[in-house]
Amino acid sequence: NVVQHLQNTDLAALPSLIAHTNPRALDQWSHAQKLLLGEGRTRGMGSGGDPDLGRQAAEDTRLAIAQFCKDADLIFVVTGLGGGTGSGAAPVIARIAREANCLVLCLATLPFDFEGSRRREQARAGMRDLRLASDAVICLPNQRMTAIFDQNTPVRDAFKLANNLLAQGVRGIWQMLTRPGLVNVDFAYLYSVVRGKNAES
């Protein structure tokens, strides 16, 4: 959803990859490169909300992920945590990107309370793995956005706002690196500041 939003901005030309364990989730998008994770393992039926299966599916597709990361300096991993693909596969993707010597910045959402305790616990575990696998993580707890909603806000609109905020995060960091401003930050400086900091903590 975030990648689709970015297709309507000045970042549309950036290489992007939508990875999922469920082919139906990929079918709805047409503007980005798509990768079905672990097709032989999941038999095209998704991860069933199981992070272990999501993790194995990403490992099965390691070569294709590494190929996408080849020659890149910076990789954004954008994911929603709580389900099988986000909590299981996203940390694997981040680790593969780091092994390709990319600087890996992750933007992740945590579930709304109404999504249940199982997704909440899986999201916490996924966040822990994501922090270990990447250079920096920006976290957006969806539940905090309820402060700006009224009780009649449709669930679809709540998720849409979360996706828009993640897209703005990607766009903001990219503009910081590529456009002149009051304080200029180049990639080399960002790399020196965040590279490996999560692994040290």
Side-chain angles (χ1 to χ4, degrees):
N1 291 327
V2 174
V3 170
Q4 191 73 6
H5 179 85
L6 290 172
Q7 295 296 321
N8 298 319
T9 73
D10 54 344
L11 301 189
L14 287 180
S16 57
L17 175 70
I18 299 176
H20 209 288
T21 56
N22 189 334
R24 289 187 297 276
L26 295 176
D27 287 344
Q28 59 185 316
W29 309 123
S30 58
H31 299 297
Q33 183 178 342
K34 295 179 283 189
L35 177 63
L36 182 59
L37 302 174
E39 182 175 11
R41 184 179 298 273
T42 66
R43 292 177 292 177
M45 294 187 291
S47 64
D50 181 356
D52 287 334
L53 187 54
R55 185 178 305 110
Q56 293 165 6
E59 292 285 4
D60 289 348
T61 323
R62 164 179 287 274
L63 292 179
I65 297 168
Q67 182 62 33
F68 178 80
C69 298
K70 183 182 177 183
D71 300 325
D73 294 314
L74 173 63
I75 294 286
F76 290 100
V77 176
V78 185
T79 187
L81 297 176
T85 304
S87 296
V92 174
I93 293 170
R95 188 176 71 249
I96 293 170
R98 284 197 74 215
E99 290 170 356
N101 293 318
C102 303
L103 184 68
V104 181
L105 306 181
C106 297
L107 293 90
T109 60
L110 297 178
F112 289 100
D113 286 350
F114 65 73
E115 295 181 69
S117 59
R118 178 187 177 196
R119 286 183 66 88
R120 186 164 55 247
E121 292 305 315
Q122 289 184 168
R124 288 175 182 165
M127 177 61 70
R128 183 175 61 249
D129 294 342
L130 202 56
R131 289 187 188 281
L132 292 173
S134 62
D135 293 298
V137 178
I138 298 172
C139 177
L140 175 64
N142 284 342
Q143 188 60 30
R144 291 190 182 176
M145 292 190 299
T146 58
I148 60 177
F149 296 146
D150 62 43
Q151 293 182 344
N152 298 318
T153 300
V155 172
R156 182 181 297 272
D157 289 349
F159 281 111
K160 183 177 180 180
L161 176 59
N163 292 328
N164 288 344
L165 289 173
L166 288 177
Q168 289 175 25
V170 172
R171 191 165 182 260
I173 295 170
W174 184 255
Q175 289 180 337
M176 177 185 71
L177 293 173
T178 59
R179 293 187 178 181
L182 183 62
V183 177
N184 293 315
V185 178
D186 62 20
F187 178 77
Y189 177 76
L190 181 67
Y191 189 96
S192 69
V193 169
V194 303
R195 179 65 170 178
K197 292 298 187 290
N198 279 334
E200 295 172 5
S201 59

